[in-house]
Amino acid sequence: MARQKKASQKVSSAPIDLRCEYRVDPPCIDALHPRLFWKFSPNGRGQRQTAYQILAASSLKNLSANKGDLWDSGKVESDHSIQIEYAGKLLSSGQRVEWKVRVWDAAGKASVYSAPASWEMGLLQAADWKAQWIGSTVVGGPRTAAPAPYLRKTFNLNKKVHRARLYVTALGIYECYLNGQRIGDEVFRPGWTEYTRRVQYDAYDLTSQLQRGDNVLGAILGDGWYCGQVQALDRQFYGDRPRFLAQLHLEFADGSSRVMVTDSTWKTSTGPILAGDMMQGESYDARREMPGWNAPNFDDRQWSRAIEFADSGIPRVACPGPAVRCVAQIVPIAPPKKADYPLDWHYRGLLCDLGQNMVGRVRIHVRGKAGQTIRLRHGEVLDKDGALYRANLRSAGAIDFYTLKSDDFETWEPRFTFHGFRYVEIASHQDFELAKDGVVGIVLQSDTPLTGAFECSDPLINQLQKNIQWGQRGNFLEIPTDCPQRDERLGWMGDAQVFVRTAAFNMDVAGFFTKWQTDIADAQGQDGAFPPVCPNAPTGIANDGGPAWADAGIICPWTIHLCFADRRLLAQHYQSFVRFVNFLQQSSHDLIRCAADYSGFPGFGDWLALDGSGIVQGGTPRDLIGTAFFAYSARLLSRIANVLGKDEDARKYQALFEQVRRAFVRRYITPAGLMAAQTQTAYVLALHFDLMPQELRAAAAAALVQDIKKRKNHLSTGFVGTPYLCHVLTQAGYADVAFDLLHQKTWPSWLYSVTQGATTIWERWDGWTHDKGFQDVGMNSFNHYAYGAIGAWLYQCVAGIDIDPEKPAYEHILLRPLPGGGLTHAKASLNSIRGLITSAWRKDKKRFTWTVQVPPNTTATAYVPTQDGRVLEGGQSADHAAGVLSAKAEPGVLVLELASGQYVFTSMVA
Ligand code: BGC
């Protein structure tokens, strides 16, 4: 990254931000034809790439000499700059590829080459793996964690190493060390997959860290998802203890090579980590530390030989997604104060407020007496007496213990656990002292950098946007989880589906959802049904996750395609989509999904809606939701088939959509455009999924608005209807009502929790209310992102940045701001895969100023609001401005086709 930045500063017109499979210089790829990306960099109006040339070489030397010995694409006349498939020589295991690209602009002028980038292939053949799975004889039980195994291996190097790569994985989680130094900065590797189907591995370049003489590779294994607690189940869901697999490929300067593998010559011991569990927390006894255990010259005679486990043949795959990392550190908003509420078991201590409901753990710097144990309990909120509230964590302990080794200050952070919390109570049975700045919140998240920002003139809405982003940060940890704090933390499909569009604005989630789609495919039933959670875990629900949950299996990849033009993701899982939609067809009755005679799971309804929907009867009927989503999934499949050039399937599933639509209309819509079930969600689905006949849309929208008005501008939607509500209202000409809902401060509303001091999105509209206090402890998370799906409306409608589905990934951008709701300004930016898009509007009485940024190599249609048809840009009539390709007056707007560049439009509005 650093070297790219440096070079691009020197040569501004060279392509920048080179990526392979969405990542910068990935160390381990197993796609034989990895996809390459770059950004066309020149600023200014009408910048367009007309051709490119990629060189891929086996060495930097060749690349610098412009010798593409692996691939020289030649000059390709094309404006494509993303998802370009490598089409060079067949690549082999471990092969390193250096590459660069140059481009031609609209005037046919070639740029200089970009700075070099690289990728490396992983181990492509099963036979490349020579290592044995190893571990310890120590094993925990269904309710008892075992001490974490430490593993070490000494090896001697007597010649110069030219290249060293470590390929490593675990069933469980690992932290690796070389000569006392931590390898990599990833957390919870190799992540969570359906371990019966695949396990991910990583690769590290260790060349510069090896030394002549003795070297030591070390690893600590954690239980993780593999044998720790998953959900509220007993531990050991996948296996009884963690296992480790690694091989170090060494190439020497003299041309010889050697592979060092895990086997029973490794030695193992337990150490200070007495227990580590994602849900329960970690227990660490510093007195048991083994200084130097991962470095040479350590006396390991007391250690035993590692045991080898038979290889069950689980395929190993290079991880296609981002790893979890520490993405931020936060400090308490005030010095920790005495916990002045009754603590259990005579504990006494301090309560610390990090000011933000976050996910991760804390690092403490503390002093007490050697042998004294410090306890850290975590919670999201305080109760009315100011005491730490933990009832909503259910069986998740979320408690860490640290036993001091000395009377001096010591620093500790747990390794193999994470918690969802804002408050941490630090307590002991004896006195202790926290250093100044002795508590730091370590924020952990799948490394999906922020790409989006939204702000406007209303501070409460700005806080809402922050809460949405923090909700995403906390719940995009390896998989999209429902919540990060209680004993659940599962990849609930419905939650992910409602939020995916918002997620793709906020952060770069392409790799994250690519990886999760594999979990979804792995979890798909023989019958084609998708389960409610992926990776699958017992939820008490038979394989069919039901409407709006199972459908995530097709909605999420479609959304990722829209945002990143990822045809490969669609192609790879196409058969899985077909099997799913066929399952819906077969299991429906006269095309009604979840009809009364359906013996499978009829779904969660409009989960947590306040109109009686949800798992209890009433509200929006589950067959209505089911049939609406059946239609939607069939239509998406038709669109996917279309993208993939499968014309016959495209027609077939479009026809299926139309049949289901007719069944839906017959069953749920009266001739007057009223829904058989008079709920907001019923109207929202019928309108948003295009099921309502054209001539009845106005009447249906009016009925929806009437219901909202009847509730004094309140919504009554749950997980299913909420994400689309404001879109439907805006589209139907009721943007004012959408804004009323957005501004609403009494519950149910988005701003209610904000006014109560929330720093994340709550699971329920009424997680806490003045009259009722806390909701049911059985299900009351204060960090659930689902209702944060309003974020997409802020970006797409209020700021007005949207995708043209015909030209996905913002190749052609739709810019249509929505000045309204009393806002005087709003601004969104999106660092899209093609470059930075911004839309910033300001309303000064009647004067409207709108700044937009269209990235190079893209175009946009901009809808400029104007009362009198006049729009100025740079002091002249907008239709004459440079970069404006065409202009068309429509009622209330001037529609401009824009070439790339920055524009500042001014107009007069009502
Ligand atoms: C989860 C939800 C999930 C739901 C299914 C809950 O326990 O937290 O977010 O979608 O179950 O209805």
Side-chain angles (χ1 to χ4, degrees), residues 21 44 106 230 298 320 381 508 555 566 621 627 696 750 779 839 847:
E21 290 294 319
V230 169
F298 174 78
V381 285
D508 176 1
I555 296 170
D566 197 332
T627 310
L696 300 179
W750 288 283
M779 230 190 63
S839 165
R847 190 183 155 82

Side-chain angles (χ1 to χ4, degrees), residues 394 482-483 486 488 492 494-495 549 604 607 719 763 779 784:
R394 305 197 310 213
D482 56 335
C483 57
R486 68 176 178 229
E488 190 140 3
W492 279 100
D495 307 41
W549 269 251
F604 298 99
W607 186 244
F719 277 29
E763 175 175 27
M779 230 190 63
H784 244 68

Side-chain angles (χ1 to χ4, degrees), residues 782-849:
F782 292 96
N783 195 356
H784 244 68
Y785 54 63
Y787 288 143
I790 184 66
W793 184 74
L794 299 177
Y795 285 104
Q796 287 173 287
C797 294
V798 179
I801 298 178
D802 210 350
I803 288 167
D804 174 352
E806 297 303 317
K807 291 183 179 256
Y810 304 95
E811 185 181 352
H812 178 237
I813 306 158
L814 304 179
L815 296 168
R816 183 168 211 158
L818 188 61
L823 297 180
T824 53
H825 71 260
K827 173 181 178 182
S829 63
L830 172 65
N831 193 4
S832 79
I833 198 153
R834 295 178 199 269
L836 185 68
I837 306 168
T838 54
S839 165
W841 59 260
R842 184 168 288 281
K843 218 176 133 186
D844 193 0
K845 299 213 175 76
K846 291 186 151 216
R847 190 183 155 82
F848 186 75
T849 310

Side-chain angles (χ1 to χ4, degrees), residues 8 37 335 526 601 642 769 816:
S8 66
F37 303 70
Q526 291 291 328
F601 176 59
N642 197 28
T769 60
R816 183 168 211 158

Side-chain angles (χ1 to χ4, degrees), residues 232-302:
L233 306 169
D234 280 352
R235 298 162 42 79
Q236 302 177 318
F237 178 55
Y238 297 97
D240 67 350
R241 75 193 90 175
R243 288 136 212 249
F244 182 62
L245 184 82
Q247 52 193 48
L248 178 61
H249 290 224
L250 297 161
E251 288 171 23
F252 299 99
D254 65 5
S256 61
S257 63
R258 173 177 156 197
V259 180
M260 226 198 60
V261 299
T262 44
D263 57 22
S264 57
T265 65
W266 284 56
K267 300 196 85 178
T268 183
S269 167
T270 55
I273 304 178
L274 299 181
D277 184 273
M278 299 297 214
M279 300 282 176
Q280 298 307 328
E282 187 163 308
S283 182
Y284 187 97
D285 185 344
R287 295 170 303 177
R288 293 171 188 249
E289 284 175 352
M290 303 169 289
W293 71 271
N294 47 15
N297 304 321
F298 174 78
D299 181 0
D300 63 9
R301 278 173 302 177
Q302 297 300 315

